[in-house]
Amino acid sequence: METPAPAVPRPVDDARHQQVHDAVRALVREQGAQVSMDAVAARAGCSKQTLYARYGSKQALLMQVLSEESRRAVVLAGVPDAASLRPGLVAFARDHLARLSEPGTIGTARLLTGQAAQFPDEVRALYRIWIDGLQERLATWLRQAMRRGLLRHDDPHSAAELLLGMIVGLDFDRQRFLVPHRDTTDLQTQWAEFAVDSFLRAFAPPVSRT
């Protein structure tokens, strides 16, 4: 028996999809893992049947919309070269810090932490979309830099995790415990440059000996 071909997603109207995208994004920030198709339909101004017809399931809808949102957060574009390596990483680090500093981000994190025991599968799925997805895209970019001799050859996923940890530092914990954090562009840029420069020193390619 032949294996059936994977289902091809149906084309989605751009305007309607943007309404759904905005609804899901807002509802996840407000309700965390408890988002329902009824709530998305009401917020997007469409029927629940329309959502199921276009996206298949709530899980597929969340995966598509939140994956798109996660990809938009990544500013590492193109293939890295000597001229773009540091500026690209600094821009990425600054953007990441700015997004973590948005009021809705820490609120969503607190909400999901409180829901983890009740909705473990949904919370884990959101982690895979946001955190694993971010690490994977950063690792892909760092792998290209390693192959081009711009960074020391190493495990790109471990390097990506290390860089993300260096970028965030204690800033997210400061927000959690309501103490001052890097909430201005100048402070975020200063830390982004420090973290990236420290990372580049640690992963500098070996100096060739003649």
Side-chain angles (χ1 to χ4, degrees), residues 90-104:
V90 169
F92 168 83
R94 189 172 58 240
D95 181 68
H96 190 48
L97 284 171
R99 287 177 178 273
L100 290 179
S101 188
E102 292 175 356

Side-chain angles (χ1 to χ4, degrees), residues 6-208:
V8 178
R10 296 180 58 181
V12 178
D13 176 72
D14 287 343
R16 172 63 71 192
H17 178 66
Q18 187 60 51
Q19 291 176 316
V20 173
H21 180 112
D22 294 343
V24 170
R25 185 174 184 269
L27 286 167
V28 168
R29 289 187 178 275
E30 295 168 13
Q31 302 177 10
Q34 298 187 72
V35 173
S36 68
M37 291 293 258
D38 285 316
V40 175
R43 185 70 63 94
C46 65
S47 69
K48 187 167 63 172
Q49 290 71 23
T50 296
L51 294 178
Y52 279 114
R54 290 181 168 177
Y55 300 98
S57 67
K58 185 183 84 168
Q59 290 73 20
L61 168 60
L62 291 175
M63 181 68 72
Q64 179 172 339
V65 170
L66 296 179
S67 293
E68 290 173 1
E69 183 68 21
S70 178
R71 285 193 296 271
R72 290 178 185 179
V74 180
V75 297
L76 292 168
V79 178
D81 55 29
S84 66
L85 179 65
R86 182 182 183 276
L89 289 176
V90 169
F92 168 83
R94 189 172 58 240
D95 181 68
H96 190 48
L97 284 171
R99 287 177 178 273
L100 290 179
S101 188
E102 292 175 356
T105 302
I106 188 64
T108 303
R110 291 193 182 108
L111 185 60
L112 291 174
T113 298
Q115 295 176 342
Q118 186 178 3
F119 302 100
D121 293 337
E122 289 86 348
V123 171
R124 278 192 288 265
L126 292 175
Y127 177 90
R128 288 192 293 270
I129 294 171
W130 282 333
I131 311 302
D132 278 351
L134 179 64
Q135 181 185 4
E136 179 62 35
R137 287 187 291 279
L138 178 56
T140 298
W141 203 80
L142 294 177
R143 182 186 293 109
Q144 293 176 326
M146 291 174 183
R147 288 175 175 172
R148 295 170 69 89
L150 303 172
L151 297 173
R152 171 171 55 83
H153 282 275
D154 210 317
D155 176 10
H157 287 85
S158 295
E161 181 176 350
L162 179 62
L163 178 55
L164 287 170
M166 295 169 72
I167 292 169
V168 177
L170 296 176
D171 220 46
F172 210 55
D173 286 325
R174 293 189 181 101
Q175 292 184 62
R176 289 174 55 215
F177 289 96
L178 304 179
V179 300
H181 65 283
R182 300 181 185 95
D183 58 353
T184 68
T185 300
D186 288 344
L187 290 174
Q188 291 163 2
T189 299
Q190 182 181 17
W191 183 258
E193 292 177 344
F194 176 76
V196 167
D197 288 339
S198 299
F199 175 82
L200 291 177
R201 284 194 297 271
F203 283 87
V207 178
S208 59

